[in-house]
Amino acid sequence: MTGPVITGVDGGSCATDALTLGHWAAGLLEAPLVVAVVHPAPAAIGSGRVDAEWVADRRAAADRVLDGARATLGDPPGVEYQVLASSSAAHGLHDLAELRQASLLVVGSGAAAPASRLFPGSTAERLLAGSVCPVAVAPSGMTTPPGTHGRIGVAYVDTPDGRAALKSAARLARRTGQTLRLVTVVARGDAALPFLLGSDAERAFLDTARETYEEALRKAAQAVPDVTVEWEVRSGDVVETLAELTDVDVLFCGSRGYGPARRVLLGGVSARLLRRARRPLVVVPRA
């Protein structure tokens, strides 16, 4: 997709994080930035009637949120600000992303997020259950845009969803000149092997798995032209290991490996990463 980067804000404590990440991504992708606020759609209170005063109040509140977003961004040229009426924030942002064929949809973490950690609110969780474009979630307290480490991380597995994540990350890396870092995590033996298999068999299994993953990573690196790629296989708990990656600017991961194509559907790893990761996380739909 070549459409805009859409950033949803609600005036909450994590809105600045979403704006920081969205503005950075739009600049790198050379895409328009759309800052969107969703307010409740009018609710009928009788036959053909709505509470006009309530509707006006909600619209005014949304306009104030946009004023705050303009102040945060410094009102740079080329940014579009849009107020939407919908049954929910997630529904409104989803419809806008589909209508505009968005390149990326960016939201902040929920109000309960610990400092420097991801923790999706209800809007992010709903968007991540069927979005038509990649969804990026900014960690709490991200006051400066990514770019410090010069690497874009990819949680890579040799599956359609893993390859989709790699493709999206490579697109960003070509724009930035940053290095792609592919990471595959071999789960601990007790998570990957049948009970009472034996330590020798466990070691043999892990050695074989590591060789298989290393070969897949080599092939993936060779398949990405015009980008510097480094890769590694780590051992440990998959989610904990990926969540503690702090030397990348942003981490890409794939959706669940089944379900409708071109939709974000959280799998076990991506869902748990959204409550643990320290870096901005981009979840990519299946191709």
Side-chain angles (χ1 to χ4, degrees):
M1 293 183 180
T2 57
V5 172
I6 296 176
T7 300
V9 293
D10 60 1
S13 59
C14 294
T16 298
D17 308 323
L19 289 168
T20 299
L21 183 59
H23 190 221
W24 174 78
L28 293 181
L29 295 174
E30 298 181 358
L33 175 62
V34 177
V35 179
V37 179
V38 183
H39 67 83
I45 59 174
S47 178
R49 296 178 58 234
V50 296
D51 187 337
E53 184 176 349
W54 178 83
V55 171
D57 178 76
R58 293 300 85 205
R59 173 59 195 245
D63 287 337
R64 288 193 294 272
V65 172
L66 285 187
D67 289 340
R70 286 190 181 92
T72 297
L73 292 174
D75 202 14
V79 179
E80 178 182 342
Y81 299 89
Q82 189 165 353
V83 173
L84 310 169
S86 185
S87 57
S88 71
H91 194 176
L93 292 173
H94 172 91
D95 287 349
L96 180 62
E98 192 164 32
L99 176 66
R100 300 290 297 271
Q101 294 186 310
S103 296
L104 183 67
L105 185 53
V106 182
V107 293
S109 292
S116 302
R117 291 277 188 175
L118 293 180
F119 193 92
S122 58
T123 297
E125 287 185 329
R126 291 174 183 172
L127 287 171
L128 287 160
S131 174
V132 295
C133 68
V135 177
V137 183
S140 174
M142 194 183 74
T143 56
T144 57
T148 303
H149 302 288
R151 293 188 188 90
I152 296 172
V154 182
Y156 186 76
V157 286
D158 190 22
T159 60
D161 46 308
R163 292 189 287 273
L166 174 58
K167 183 178 180 180
S168 287
R171 178 189 174 200
L172 188 61
R174 288 190 188 96
R175 294 281 190 178
T176 63
Q178 290 180 304
T179 296
L180 271 184
R181 185 177 184 187
L182 313 186
V183 180
T184 296
V185 182
V186 181
R188 293 192 184 104
D190 58 357
L193 298 175
F195 182 56
L196 296 179
L197 186 59
S199 59
D200 290 342
E202 178 178 326
R203 283 193 296 271
F205 172 87
L206 293 177
D207 288 343
T208 301
R210 179 175 290 273
E211 292 174 1
T212 300
Y213 292 142
E214 287 177 349
E215 180 61 21
L217 285 166
R218 273 192 290 268
K219 289 181 178 179
Q222 294 169 358
V224 183
D226 305 322
V227 175
T228 300
V229 183
E230 57 187 34
W231 55 266
E232 66 173 316
V233 178
R234 293 190 177 191
S235 299
D237 180 86
V238 176
V239 174
E240 287 182 5
T241 302
L242 292 173
E244 294 304 319
L245 284 177
T246 56
D247 58 350
V248 298
D249 290 312
V250 61
L251 180 62
F252 281 73
C253 70
S255 298
R256 193 172 64 200
Y258 58 90
R262 307 188 193 283
R263 297 281 174 171
V264 170
L265 289 169
L266 291 182
V269 171
S270 52
R272 287 183 288 157
L273 269 177
L274 280 164
R275 287 168 171 76
R276 301 289 300 278
R278 295 178 177 272
R279 310 304 303 157
L281 183 67
V282 181
V283 185
V284 181
R286 291 180 60 222

